[in-house]
Amino acid sequence: MADIRNSGLAARPFLGGYTQDFQTVRLTEVIDFELVHVAIAKDEIERLTEKVRAESGLDWPAPGSFSTGERDDDSDLRIVWLAADQGMIIIPKSGESLLGTGRTGLADAIGDAGYLTGQTDNWVALRLVGTGSVPALERLCPLDLHETAMPPGTAARTIMEHLAVIILRESPEQFLLLSPSSSAGSFLHAVETSILNTGGNT
């Protein structure tokens, strides 16, 4: 078997670290994060919630939302509600992975109250920022994106151009989109095209 440990191979972003400024939107591939799926153990929601709050200061999110805060290093940490007893932790990459041997912090705090599965390589992330973000997404997304229906802090599953997407509204004009990495190029093309078709020319 070939030994690739010293082959010089290195991980690359799915979209090459894409970033583009359009007239009304900045579109950026988000690459500096780790995604971990959390399945809460049976009858352990209260214990897990207490453990997560004690370690991170965050509450487990309510359905249709995400919680956010700051860790000791001032990096954003997100916990996204996905389904009953399921969530996704979005944590900035650092020297230590949330998973694996010697894991520390939040993973250790969760312990046997939940089951953690690495998801980083399964998703591509795009962030839209600007006044044109809502018009661009309205062409792609069947959800009601009016701020009264989807205020900041909302998380939802949806479909955009036949592709599965998790959408997080971070602020009135800023969205984080997660979609399967296997269709990263198609997803980027769909978002770019919608921006251009809503007056977001470069």
Side-chain angles (χ1 to χ4, degrees), residues 36-106:
V36 178
H37 179 268
V38 182
I40 302 173
K42 185 178 179 180
D43 300 325
E44 292 284 13
I45 179 62
E46 291 186 7
R47 188 161 71 100
L48 182 139
T49 299
E50 292 173 358
K51 286 172 170 285
V52 168
R53 185 186 299 117
E55 173 60 30
S56 67
L58 275 70
D59 288 317
W60 191 260
S65 70
F66 67 93
S67 56
T68 185
E70 294 185 344
R71 291 173 62 87
D72 292 340
D73 60 359
D74 293 328
S75 296
D76 286 339
L77 168 69
R78 308 282 172 84
I79 304 177
V80 185
W81 187 89
L82 295 179
D85 297 333
Q86 294 185 49
M88 183 88 79
I89 297 173
I90 305 176
I91 186 169
K93 284 183 178 177
S94 63
E96 293 184 354
S97 171
L98 191 64
L99 300 175
T101 58
R103 68 190 190 187
T104 58
L106 189 57

Side-chain angles (χ1 to χ4, degrees), residues 65-201:
S65 70
F66 67 93
S67 56
T68 185
E70 294 185 344
R71 291 173 62 87
D72 292 340
D73 60 359
D74 293 328
S75 296
D76 286 339
L77 168 69
R78 308 282 172 84
I79 304 177
V80 185
W81 187 89
L82 295 179
D85 297 333
Q86 294 185 49
M88 183 88 79
I89 297 173
I90 305 176
I91 186 169
K93 284 183 178 177
S94 63
E96 293 184 354
S97 171
L98 191 64
L99 300 175
T101 58
R103 68 190 190 187
T104 58
L106 189 57
D108 271 347
I110 291 172
D112 61 0
Y115 307 100
L116 307 183
T117 307
Q119 293 287 313
T120 307
D121 292 337
N122 295 337
W123 298 86
V124 63
L126 292 175
R127 176 171 281 127
L128 284 80
V129 183
T131 58
S133 57
V134 171
L137 290 174
E138 285 177 335
R139 292 178 59 91
L140 295 170
C141 181
L143 300 176
D144 183 353
L145 299 180
H146 192 278
E147 198 172 345
T148 57
M150 177 179 275
T154 299
R157 289 178 177 268
T158 188
I159 298 293
M160 297 185 186
E161 291 292 304
H162 310 292
L163 301 173
V165 177
I166 299 173
I167 180 170
L168 282 65
R169 189 171 202 156
E170 299 176 316
S171 72
E173 296 179 350
Q174 180 169 309
F175 296 82
L176 180 66
L177 310 178
L178 302 172
S179 191
S181 57
S182 58
S183 51
S186 297
F187 183 51
L188 174 61
H189 176 72
V191 176
E192 282 182 322
T193 300
S194 187
I195 292 171
L196 292 172
N197 287 338
T198 51
N201 297 321

